[in-house]
Amino acid sequence: MEQRQSDEPNETRTPPTTGPAPDDRPTDTQSAPATPAADQPETPPRPNNQREPNQRQFSQRDNRQPNNRSNGSRDENVRTQRNEREAGSSDRGSRDQGAPNRGQRDGNAPNRNQRETGTPERVANENGQQNSRNDTRPNDRDRNNGNRDRNIDPRESSAAAAQQAEAIGRSEREQGAQDRGPRDAGSVVREDRLVIGISLGDYNGIGPEVILKALQYNRLQKICTPVIYGSMRVLNRYRNLLNLKDWNLNGAPTIGQISHKMTNVITCWPDQNQDIQPGQVTPEAGQAALACLQRAVDDMKAGKLDALVTAPINKYNIQSEEFKFPGHTEYLAEEFGVQDNLMFLVSEHLRVGVVTGHIPLGRVRQNVTRERIAQKLTMMMQSLRQDFGIDKPKIAVLGLNPHAGEEGLLGNEEQEIIKPLITEWRNKGQLVFGPYPADGFFGTQSYRKFDAVLAMYHDQGLIPFKTIAFEDGVNFTAGMPAVRTSPDHGTAYDIAGKNQANETSMLQAIYTAVDVARQRKEFADLEANALKKQPTEK
């Protein structure tokens, strides 16, 4: 085989030298396995204009030096190549000095280069310099070993070796992450992954079914780490009942021991003798639902969860000395010390909030006040900005009475309360419109012109919302420091355990929780880094 000098034609063969051939390869290039020593050609004599080798010895590299090659020549080339890369002229320098022996291969080089290729910056720099040239070069890897060392281009060897070194480093990092286990992996992945808690709800309803269907095959692992607060025994029984046995759940005693590669289950109550009765209302199921909710809220308060998704509960069997609330929303407001909040039903095309929530219809009128409507509008505006990324929200307000009061013929609340408030907000530059009669507003699909709709009471807003967006609708609690969502359906005892429940709303609840949690973090970053308006000097 012949070694070519990069700047001169190789017409005559140089007589071999008597000493061992120096290794003139750059240290940041990973080489392929060597051919037998007998086939290795001797290196031509050093040109007169090449610098003298540096006599400094690197003991660690000498220990790894194969085939008793000349230490002085190798160390000179190591320093030369490093200086040339730092000066931005690695390609030019390699033609002037490093070309004669760059194509030589050594079987022991990969181990050394894997340690010496150095930082990712050096590998990336080498790749960036070589990629444009490699596009037009032939691939010498397909040739036989006899012609490989002689014909391969030095620049191709450098780029290919650098890419191989990067691949080996990435493989080792991935293997190291696997060896660390769930606890250490959590410290690495936790910064990028959102941890979403999911409370089981009433286990005799469709909660366990829609949760399992939404999370089957670990299909949400790419966007978050799900943690079910429930019972491994109960979930396994539903898996057998619904034939959802071809994927595994990870049991974790605490939130600190979850796996970010699997769907996790934290058992929240003693379930050794637990039996499920799909479709039946039992006190045991109600107390189990409360235990799951309490455990999830505790972890959220401790900052271990980024958001909470609650499966449906039965508002009757969950009642106890610890839970005297009409639903999740009021309980969470109490736990997080919030005086008021907004029940906000959201879907892709429609968002509806209500002024009065879970109160009897006979008490609606006395709760529809100017102050209360203004408070709900404020929370809706803030939520649309920080939770949904809408800079200038446009909101429609519904009237309280049929046909929005017909100018006072069917009620005075619109004329005395709602219209003056809307006018005040409009004068402040807010995009608030109304009051609109609810029936015609939804019948003509006028809601598509607005970012959100504020209804006066529960059924006025939720009946049209569930008619339009029942399958993909999500119940979101706005105005709280914690992110909480839930599907927009109830326990559905009539189809529990029959494999008939649709998981779409649960899936959307998880997606919405992830989106809102991320949006809040981005909004907080923007607010923290916003330019402050400086007062002008007079």
Side-chain angles (χ1 to χ4, degrees):
M1 293 188 294
E2 296 177 353
Q3 293 294 330
R4 293 186 179 274
Q5 188 77 13
S6 60
D7 294 334
E8 298 178 3
N10 188 16
E11 297 181 356
T12 59
R13 188 185 300 269
T14 303
T17 60
T18 58
D23 187 0
D24 199 23
R25 295 163 301 168
T27 58
D28 63 339
T29 303
Q30 185 168 354
S31 303
T35 55
D39 296 334
Q40 292 289 344
E42 300 296 338
T43 305
R46 183 184 305 279
N48 294 331
N49 60 352
Q50 188 165 344
R51 284 183 284 182
E52 290 299 322
N54 194 317
Q55 298 303 319
R56 182 181 177 183
Q57 303 298 320
F58 295 86
S59 59
Q60 293 180 353
R61 294 179 183 176
D62 292 344
N63 292 337
R64 293 192 290 267
Q65 179 68 16
N67 297 337
N68 297 321
R69 296 182 184 268
S70 172
N71 294 335
S73 298
R74 180 177 57 78
D75 292 337
E76 158 62 14
N77 291 324
V78 169
R79 295 191 60 189
T80 300
Q81 293 297 332
R82 286 182 175 172
N83 293 335
E84 288 167 348
R85 279 196 303 275
E86 294 174 358
S89 58
S90 62
D91 182 55
R92 187 167 58 252
S94 64
R95 288 196 300 268
D96 293 339
Q97 299 180 17
N101 291 323
R102 204 174 216 179
Q104 292 183 358
R105 307 283 177 154
D106 194 281
N108 295 330
N111 290 335
R112 183 186 68 220
N113 288 327
Q114 184 174 327
R115 294 186 291 269
E116 292 182 7
T117 46
T119 63
E121 291 83 356
R122 291 177 59 189
V123 176
N125 192 21
E126 184 73 11
N127 286 340
Q129 295 171 359
Q130 303 296 340
N131 284 342
S132 62
R133 304 187 185 93
N134 289 341
D135 292 340
T136 58
R137 298 285 180 178
N139 187 357
D140 289 331
R141 295 192 179 197
D142 296 333
R143 302 180 183 179
N144 57 42
N145 292 334
N147 295 327
R148 183 175 182 178
D149 294 336
R150 180 176 60 190
N151 296 330
I152 189 167
D153 189 284
R155 290 168 293 183
E156 283 187 351
S157 173
S158 177
Q163 293 172 359
Q164 185 177 359
E166 183 179 4
I168 292 175
R170 182 168 58 252
S171 175
E172 289 183 344
R173 288 193 299 271
E174 293 173 353
Q175 182 64 37
Q178 294 176 0
D179 295 339
R180 283 193 296 268
R183 186 181 291 271
D184 292 335
S187 62
V188 176
V189 185
R190 180 67 175 87
E191 296 180 359
D192 300 326
R193 274 188 177 291
L194 297 178
V195 179
I196 307 299
I198 305 172
S199 61
L200 187 65
D202 190 316
Y203 60 73
N204 286 330
I206 63 172
E209 179 177 341
V210 295
I211 291 173
L212 289 172
K213 287 181 176 180
L215 300 178
Q216 63 181 332
Y217 313 125
N218 293 316
R219 59 183 174 181
L220 296 183
Q221 292 301 120
K222 293 182 179 180
I223 65 170
C224 67
T225 299
V227 181
I228 304 174
Y229 288 83
S231 162
M232 182 67 81
R233 185 182 298 271
V234 167
L235 289 171
N236 282 334
R237 292 190 178 183
Y238 271 102
R239 290 175 65 200
N240 293 329
L241 181 65
L242 304 172
N243 196 25
L244 299 173
K245 297 178 289 185
D246 52 350
W247 61 289
N248 294 323
L249 299 170
N250 177 61
T254 66
I255 189 67
Q257 297 170 287
I258 62 173
S259 168
H260 289 272
K261 298 179 181 180
M262 300 182 67
T263 297
N264 302 274
V265 179
I266 296 178
T267 299
C268 301
W269 77 91
D271 62 350
Q272 290 79 5
N273 299 320
Q274 195 72 59
D275 194 15
I276 61 173
Q277 303 176 48
Q280 302 298 315
V281 179
T282 64
E284 292 81 9
Q287 295 311 301
L290 177 58
C292 299
L293 182 60
Q294 289 174 330
R295 182 77 174 270
V297 169
D298 289 342
D299 285 344
M300 177 164 277
K301 286 181 177 179
K304 305 297 185 180
L305 299 178
D306 294 293
L308 174 63
V309 180
T310 57
I313 59 173
N314 183 312
K315 295 177 176 59
Y316 170 74
N317 68 358
I318 197 175
Q319 297 297 321
S320 66
E321 291 297 323
E322 299 176 280
F323 192 98
K324 296 182 179 180
F325 303 93
H328 278 116
T329 304
E330 294 79 6
Y331 172 80
L332 292 171
E334 175 77 15
E335 286 293 319
F336 287 97
V338 176
Q339 296 297 323
D340 199 6
N341 58 77
L342 175 68
M343 182 187 295
F344 207 4
L345 282 296
V346 300
S347 71
E348 185 176 356
H349 304 292
L350 176 61
R351 301 182 187 93
V352 176
V354 293
V355 175
T356 60
H358 294 137
I359 64 173
L361 189 59
R363 291 167 50 192
V364 168
R365 169 59 189 89
Q366 68 190 62
N367 284 277
V368 177
T369 63
R370 181 187 179 94
E371 293 74 18
R372 191 167 183 83
I373 296 174
Q375 188 176 14
K376 299 297 183 179
L377 274 174
T378 300
M379 285 189 286
M380 181 176 283
M381 281 283 187
Q382 179 66 13
S383 179
L384 290 171
R385 291 191 183 102
Q386 76 168 9
D387 299 333
F388 298 95
I390 303 173
D391 293 332
K392 192 70 173 178
K394 185 179 179 181
I395 297 176
V397 180
L398 302 182
L400 174 65
N401 297 296
H403 305 289
E406 288 283 8
E407 300 296 329
L409 295 176
L410 302 177
N412 296 322
E413 287 78 11
E414 287 79 11
Q415 299 294 323
E416 298 175 358
I417 300 174
I418 303 176
K419 279 187 178 181
L421 178 62
I422 292 175
T423 301
E424 180 182 325
W425 278 62
R426 291 289 300 278
N427 292 336
K428 295 178 180 178
Q430 302 295 336
L431 301 181
V432 180
F433 302 88
Y436 297 101
D439 54 352
F441 181 82
F442 288 106
T444 59
Q445 298 187 359
S446 297
Y447 61 86
R448 294 183 177 273
K449 303 175 184 178
F450 299 90
D451 296 308
V453 181
L454 182 63
M456 292 298 110
Y457 57 95
H458 185 280
D459 285 6
Q460 185 188 49
L462 269 66
I463 288 176
F465 180 86
K466 292 189 177 184
T467 302
I468 296 168
F470 183 74
E471 288 189 355
D472 63 343
V474 175
N475 182 6
F476 168 59
T477 305
M480 288 203 308
V483 178
R484 177 258 173 169
T485 65
S486 71
D488 66 347
H489 56 72
T491 53
Y493 288 123
D494 56 327
I495 61 172
K498 298 179 181 179
N499 203 12
Q500 298 177 8
N502 189 323
E503 74 276 14
T504 305
S505 184
M506 174 58 75
L507 262 176
Q508 292 300 321
I510 299 173
Y511 289 146
T512 301
V514 171
D515 291 342
V516 171
R518 285 178 177 166
Q519 179 60 38
R520 282 195 181 183
K521 291 184 177 181
E522 293 178 5
F523 182 83
D525 291 341
L526 290 174
E527 288 289 304
N529 298 320
L531 295 176
K532 305 298 183 182
K533 185 177 180 180
Q534 300 295 331
T536 58
E537 296 182 1
K538 296 182 180 180

